[in-house]
Amino acid sequence: MDQIYALKGNIFYTPACGQLAIYPESYLVCENGRCAGIFGQLPERYKNIPVEDHSGKLILPGLIDLHLHASQYAYRGLGMDMELLQWLESNAFPEESKFADLEYAEEAYRLFTQQLTKSATTRACIFATLHRPATLKLMELLEEAGLHCYVGKVNMDRNSPDILRETTEESLEETRLWLEESARFVNNKPMLTPRFTPSCTDALMAGLGRLQKEFQVPMQSHLSENIPEIHWVSELCPNTRFYGEAYHQFGLFGGDCPTIMAHCVWSDKEERELMKRQGVYIAHCPQSNMNISSGIAPVKSYLMEGQKVGLGSDVAGGAHLSIFRAMTDAIQCSKLRWRLVDQNIPALTMPEALYLATKGGGSFFGQVGSFEKGYEFDAIVMDDSDLPTTRKCSLPERLERVIYLSDGKPCAKYVAGQRLF
Ligand code: GUN
Ligand code: FE
């Protein structure tokens, strides 16, 4: 591939947590799908390359959604008057069981993929359902759309309704077939997805641990989201001292197994130490944590103690696909935590939230989420002319208004150098 071009506009990114780099009306050069540099004027060697002119607009790294359920998109915004375990029984399980029907699954995943494509998200880690053909269909649709995602066929062999439960053998065999079949996709990769400990027997987890080693795939799940859930896990796994050990004992908790754990609202000291040691990613999903009354995760403390953290929409626990919305929810939640829980831990700042949404989560995908040289060229262009104000705003103010006020839809989007629209 010999592709080279530049975008012109107001360029923003976060080189480190809390830092905001701003290049007014500059050129961002893409060379073979990667960032080649930012320039006030194009240097001689680039002087004849094509320039896509987004002058006056804001250019940001594509946003990263580290945790969402494509199969729950249909009921976003509904059923928010329950806590997790009742919410799963009443909302998630009935909807997900419909994905046994490939025709329904295709319709639902097509709609989801269209909406994700229009959003500011360039990469996501996605839960499908336990159905292999439907999961492959989702991967096919994402691949056609030009998005770069990890997708998981969900595993569930206990504590779920008959129509949404596999036997242990079935679950492992279907997972193996799915891993083999998904090798045909280039940009969308499989990720092991045991739903959470209450849905998976030890035998299933042990089998997934073996598959992880054999196929060298990452894994994603849920951790310490809700207090009754945590009590249930300690009953189900009497040999463990804390929830994270239920995954760690099977080699499914970081280290050689790149891992994302959604929520971590209630992780205690030991669990946090293990996450840090193992390099486990935390997907912070503030809107879901509010909607299903899980609590306020200590996201600022996680940053201060050097954990790996990104943001998740957790649709449909979260009602909104927008990671801009996840940024403002994260900031607002962290203020409530400061006010109500611990005044020694300050709230998140806007540049910290942008870091979480870009480079923080993006690092799970490699060199992703920044415009530093060598990073994959994922960019979104935001037009703030439809957010009228009489005030003359500075560039950081314009960025803040886009984060708080925009509908989350960019006017142009690029993934690994490819323009999607
Ligand atoms: N824990 C297990 N399954 C789920 C799910 O679908 N959503 C959320 N938020 N938590 C879970
Ligand atoms: Fe979730």
Side-chain angles (χ1 to χ4, degrees):
M1 193 179 25
D2 194 11
Q3 169 213 42
I4 183 159
Y5 62 91
L7 308 187
K8 179 161 188 278
N10 296 299
I11 299 165
F12 300 78
Y13 70 95
T14 56
C17 189
Q19 284 177 21
L20 183 60
I22 305 179
Y23 295 81
E25 293 302 347
S26 297
Y27 297 85
L28 172 63
V29 175
C30 173
E31 216 170 325
N32 298 329
R34 297 202 174 248
C35 298
I38 301 175
F39 306 93
Q41 294 296 327
L42 278 179
E44 196 54 29
R45 66 184 186 283
Y46 292 136
K47 111 176 163 330
N48 293 320
I49 67 175
V51 174
E52 298 186 13
D53 191 0
H54 299 296
S55 293
K57 303 191 175 76
L58 291 77
I59 302 176
L60 311 175
L63 305 187
I64 312 296
D65 192 336
L66 275 194
H67 181 75
L68 82 160
H69 300 256
S71 51
Q72 297 175 4
Y73 187 76
Y75 73 88
R76 71 202 183 286
L78 297 172
M80 299 301 196
D81 49 357
M82 295 164 225
E83 278 191 53
L84 174 66
L85 300 175
Q86 191 196 0
W87 177 86
L88 287 173
E89 294 281 344
S90 311
N91 295 282
F93 294 166
E95 176 63 25
E96 289 185 28
S97 65
K98 295 186 197 165
F99 287 70
D101 173 357
L102 189 55
E103 220 172 290
Y104 179 78
E106 179 164 354
E107 192 191 348
Y109 284 153
R110 199 172 285 285
L111 178 67
F112 166 79
T113 304
Q114 282 163 358
Q115 298 303 312
L116 191 67
T117 303
K118 286 185 202 162
S119 80
T121 300
T122 45
R123 308 203 185 214
C125 295
I126 302 176
F127 279 51
T129 62
L130 55 77
H131 310 97
R132 177 171 49 90
T135 305
L136 288 164
K137 178 55 72 182
L138 172 61
M139 296 175 84
E140 190 182 307
L141 292 165
L142 292 165
E143 189 88 1
E144 279 168 18
L147 296 162
H148 287 215
C149 299
Y150 282 107
V151 176
K153 175 221 165 306
V154 174
N155 299 98
M156 302 166 74
D157 73 340
R158 67 173 171 187
N159 295 318
S160 36
D162 291 348
I163 44 164
L164 198 67
R165 195 176 61 239
E166 313 158 285
T167 65
T168 309
E169 296 68 35
E170 230 175 357
S171 188
L172 291 171
E173 191 45 39
E174 288 292 296
T175 302
R176 171 181 291 283
L177 282 175
W178 161 69
L179 289 171
E180 288 166 357
E181 289 167 353
S182 54
R184 70 175 191 259
F185 302 113
V186 178
N187 298 321
N188 289 274
K189 308 263 188 231
M191 184 171 197
L192 292 179
T193 305
R195 178 174 212 116
F196 67 158
T197 298
S199 300
C200 301
T201 60
D202 283 3
L204 176 53
M205 288 290 200
L208 292 174
R210 288 191 296 273
L211 284 173
Q212 194 281 324
K213 285 196 180 58
E214 185 181 336
F215 287 85
Q216 297 284 306
V217 272
M219 88 80 104
Q220 59 184 348
S221 195
H222 297 91
L223 181 66
S224 298
E225 176 178 4
N226 161 285
I227 288 171
E229 170 211 20
I230 295 168
H231 290 154
W232 194 16
V233 171
S234 67
E235 284 164 23
L236 289 166
C237 307
N239 58 320
T240 59
R241 285 168 306 153
F242 52 91
Y243 193 161
E245 271 195 344
Y247 300 112
H248 186 52
Q249 64 184 339
F250 300 109
L252 296 169
F253 203 66
D256 292 335
C257 169
T259 296
I260 297 174
M261 286 289 157
H263 307 301
C264 307
V265 176
W266 299 102
S267 297
D268 64 11
K269 188 162 174 289
E270 272 192 293
E271 186 162 280
R272 288 158 76 145
E273 281 169 4
L274 186 62
M275 289 194 290
K276 171 126 191 248
R277 198 158 64 236
Q278 295 291 103
V280 168
Y281 277 74
I282 297 165
H284 176 47
C285 308
Q287 193 182 131
S288 168
N289 297 159
M290 291 188 277
N291 282 334
I292 49 179
S293 306
S294 300
I296 311 175
V299 62
K300 178 80 170 207
S301 304
Y302 286 153
L303 287 176
M304 289 163 70
E305 68 195 39
Q307 304 278 6
K308 294 187 160 150
V309 197
L311 295 179
S313 65
D314 194 26
V315 160
H320 296 270
L321 264 186
S322 168
I323 294 296
F324 286 123
R325 176 68 195 262
M327 290 167 64
T328 58
D329 288 334
I331 293 169
Q332 289 167 346
C333 264
S334 72
K335 289 176 181 168
L336 287 180
R337 197 165 208 286
W338 170 80
R339 171 64 67 196
L340 300 174
V341 183
D342 185 353
Q343 297 205 356
N344 294 313
I345 307 292
L348 283 180
T349 63
M350 184 272 279
E352 286 170 341
L354 181 61
Y355 173 85
L356 290 175
T358 55
K359 198 174 178 182
S363 62
F364 188 78
F365 292 80
Q367 283 193 304
V368 169
S370 178
F371 291 145
E372 288 152 86
K373 199 159 185 249
Y375 271 67
E376 293 199 59
F377 195 92
D378 291 8
I380 51 168
V381 182
M382 301 301 297
D383 181 357
D384 60 351
S385 63
D386 59 351
L387 304 173
T389 173
T390 50
R391 184 176 167 137
K392 181 109 190 68
C393 290
S394 65
L395 284 173
E397 287 173 337
R398 286 175 63 191
L399 173 64
E400 191 168 9
R401 291 181 86 248
V402 162
I403 291 169
Y404 275 87
L405 301 177
S406 84
D407 65 0
K409 301 215 168 39
C411 59
K413 178 164 166 175
Y414 304 77
V415 184
Q418 188 200 347
R419 186 168 183 170
L420 304 196
F421 56 82

